[in-house]
Amino acid sequence: MLDFAIPAMQQRHLIKHLLIGTLALGTSTLATAQSEKEEKLPSPSATEDWSFKPPLVTPGETSAQPPSDAIILYSGSSDLDKWEHADGSPVKWKADGDALTIFPKATDIRTKQKFGNMQLHLEWRTPDPSEDKDFNRGNSGVLIMGLYELQIYESWNYSTKIYYNGQAGSVYKQHAPLVNAARKPQTWQTYDVIFEAPVFRADKTVEKPAYMTVLHNNVLILNHVELKGPMVYQGYPKYKYHDAKLPLQLQEHGSRVSFRNIWIREL
Ligand code: MG
């Protein structure tokens, strides 16, 4: 029986998994030794954290000029050639003025240059909330090394409901932000990120995990948090060996989120 105190998104997951569970019962006698060996993934709701609601904080006004030693990744359409889609094709997102706006279904973009430890600055703006479905408002993300997601989402004043480790400023499904410092929709917001890449031993096991520190609109929201592994929507994150430097990736999730003033300092 469904308790209506359960948020809508969890209800949807619950219904989905009840249906899947019913179907699975009907075919259980056909289960083979091979399927038993396959990893059983927990429900996506197993990694949703609703335990602590980050307090609301109103950020001050902000502006950020890149420092002299920054690598400029996006300041206008002339920087489009620094980016590509995963298949190596030219960027199909829309450049307008100094902003770059996601073109839905055009897939993620990534830098041609690869990065490991970094200081990263970028600015992002969510679209008019009425153009997105409620569970996908302003959904995008900064995938550092293409793997570790700092979430972008429409989280101003908790106007769009999502588990706290899925709101703006979360390390998606790993860490909720300390506070909610989000600005209103259609307003530019900033992320300033210090990222320490994971270190792997010669035998490819983890010597040191990745760490992330993030300021959202100049407010500290993640303080040197340890990452459990690459972002996964379903199941629990775990590290897998990868190169010391990988492209920076911006997520396309169907919402027309814009970006501007993206720069990086290698550490
Ligand atoms: Mg996202």
Side-chain angles (χ1 to χ4, degrees):
M1 200 170 64
L2 287 179
D3 179 347
F4 286 95
I6 298 172
M9 183 174 290
Q10 285 187 324
Q11 283 186 28
R12 279 195 293 275
H13 286 144
L14 197 54
I15 290 165
K16 191 169 116 194
H17 288 277
L18 283 172
L19 285 171
I20 290 168
T22 309
L23 288 171
L25 274 176
T27 56
S28 60
T29 51
L30 299 174
T32 62
Q34 193 192 347
S35 69
E36 281 168 17
K37 268 187 245 158
E38 284 170 14
E39 190 186 2
K40 277 232 172 63
L41 286 172
S43 155
S45 63
T47 45
E48 294 176 1
D49 185 354
W50 293 89
S51 64
F52 173 75
K53 183 176 185 176
L56 287 164
V57 166
T58 305
E61 292 301 314
T62 183
S63 69
Q65 298 293 318
S68 58
D69 63 350
I71 298 167
I72 307 299
L73 292 178
Y74 198 82
S75 64
S77 58
S78 60
D79 293 317
L80 272 178
D81 63 355
K82 296 174 180 170
W83 299 79
E84 62 185 8
H85 292 283
D87 63 1
S89 64
V91 171
K92 294 177 203 73
W93 295 12
K94 297 284 175 216
D96 63 272
D98 60 355
L100 181 62
T101 300
I102 290 174
F103 190 71
K105 300 207 165 88
T107 73
D108 295 5
I109 61 170
R110 66 183 185 193
T111 56
K112 293 178 183 171
Q113 191 171 346
K114 296 172 179 177
F115 303 98
N117 299 329
M118 70 179 75
Q119 175 186 348
L120 168 69
H121 173 90
L122 61 86
E123 298 174 25
W124 54 275
R125 183 182 62 191
T126 56
D128 180 344
S130 67
E131 71 173 61
D132 287 335
K133 293 208 162 65
D134 61 353
F135 59 86
N136 199 47
R137 283 193 189 136
N139 196 348
S140 179
V142 185
L143 285 149
I144 295 177
M145 305 192 91
L147 296 169
Y148 307 101
E149 185 181 6
L150 173 61
Q151 171 75 316
I152 289 176
Y153 200 74
E154 182 47 72
S155 289
W156 174 71
N157 205 26
Y158 290 103
S159 53
T160 305
K161 193 154 196 167
I162 193 168
Y163 34 95
Y164 304 126
N165 60 350
Q167 71 184 55
S170 62
V171 175
Y172 185 74
K173 284 200 159 183
Q174 296 192 30
H175 295 282
L178 295 166
V179 297
N180 178 343
R183 294 185 192 280
K184 289 182 178 180
Q186 299 178 278
T187 309
W188 286 105
Q189 313 202 38
T190 60
Y191 276 159
D192 288 279
V193 182
I194 315 293
F195 177 77
E196 297 172 27
V199 178
F200 295 93
R201 300 185 188 91
D203 68 0
K204 302 194 170 179
T205 57
V206 180
E207 183 178 326
K208 187 170 99 50
Y211 289 91
M212 208 189 287
T213 297
V214 179
L215 283 80
H216 182 192
N217 298 325
N218 297 332
V219 180
L220 182 69
I221 57 161
L222 292 167
N223 187 10
H224 202 251
V225 295
E226 180 181 326
L227 274 56
K228 297 162 190 161
M231 183 276 285
V232 283
Y233 170 63
Q234 194 170 2
Y236 298 93
K238 52 180 177 236
Y239 281 99
K240 222 171 154 181
Y241 174 83
H242 59 68
D243 290 349
K245 291 187 176 189
L246 288 168
L248 177 74
Q249 190 167 325
L250 299 177
Q251 185 184 61
E252 180 275 304
H253 207 292
S255 178
R256 294 190 311 118
V257 174
S258 300
F259 295 87
R260 72 175 184 188
N261 195 15
I262 309 173
W263 52 261
I264 216 164
R265 294 179 63 248
E266 292 189 283
L267 304 177

